[in-house]
Amino acid sequence: MRKNIFCKILLCGCLVISCEKIEPEIISNGGFSLQLFSDWKYKALQGIDSYEGVFTNCHEEITYSGLLFGFDDLSSIVQTPETLYFEDAIIDGEPAKIIKRKYGAEEYLFLEMDAKDKSVRIQLSVTNPDDDQKFITIFKSLRFI
């Protein structure tokens, strides 16, 4: 009996010690920031005609692409038969589109908007999101630096 109680106390202590406290945090890629949590990090990737990177907490990821050339006007983004969600939004004072589409077996949730100086088209995306509203809230937290 005593051994059983000691094991339970030891197990609870190990769980408390091993749990890392996760706090809200602003994570930046140098051009803009997102309201995420302290377990999220940003990693820049190499793009040919774009800025690319990924915000990740090792379990989930938001990919970022900043397209430099050849993008259509934001108004050309419209609902299609593959559209599962569509929202016109204003994020940090700029027009934006939040779209969820199905392509084959995959679902993608996107944020599309232009940078304040119109130099790049910003695209954030999540593949097969487990919680659309969580990522929509993260998208709407975008702030230009």
Side-chain angles (χ1 to χ4, degrees):
M1 178 76 170
R2 255 184 131 139
K3 186 176 180 181
N4 194 15
I5 292 172
F6 176 75
C7 288
K8 287 180 183 179
I9 292 171
L10 183 62
L11 178 62
C12 288
C14 289
L15 289 174
V16 169
I17 291 170
S18 68
C19 291
E20 191 175 311
K21 191 171 184 182
I22 299 173
E23 298 287 335
E25 188 170 309
I26 295 174
I27 309 292
S28 171
N29 70 354
F32 64 86
S33 65
L34 295 174
Q35 178 70 50
L36 293 163
F37 293 93
S38 57
D39 63 333
W40 286 76
K41 305 293 179 225
Y42 177 75
K43 179 182 178 188
L45 303 174
Q46 183 64 43
I48 295 171
D49 64 349
S50 64
Y51 302 106
E52 296 181 17
V54 63
F55 294 88
T56 184
N57 66 0
C58 296
H59 305 289
E60 303 168 299
E61 65 180 35
I62 301 169
T63 58
Y64 159 68
S65 183
L67 305 173
L68 297 171
F69 306 108
F71 52 83
D72 294 330
D73 185 71
L74 196 60
S75 64
S76 66
I77 299 171
V78 296
Q79 293 189 50
T80 68
E82 294 81 20
T83 303
L84 303 172
Y85 179 85
F86 189 90
E87 179 182 350
D88 285 305
I90 301 294
I91 299 175
D92 198 19
E94 297 296 317
K97 306 263 182 162
I98 301 172
I99 311 106
K100 184 175 184 182
R101 290 196 174 131
K102 186 172 181 89
Y103 296 103
E106 305 285 327
E107 293 181 356
Y108 298 90
L109 184 64
F110 294 96
L111 166 68
E112 295 265 356
M113 66 185 296
D114 296 328
K116 281 193 182 272
D117 65 3
K118 309 294 186 239
S119 62
V120 296
R121 164 69 52 83
I122 293 172
Q123 183 184 79
L124 299 179
S125 64
V126 179
T127 305
N128 295 320
D130 61 349
D131 182 349
D132 292 354
Q133 194 54 52
K134 173 177 73 176
F135 289 105
I136 290 168
T137 300
I138 291 169
F139 290 171
K140 289 181 177 181
S141 76
L142 185 145
R143 295 297 175 263
F144 291 102
I145 297 173

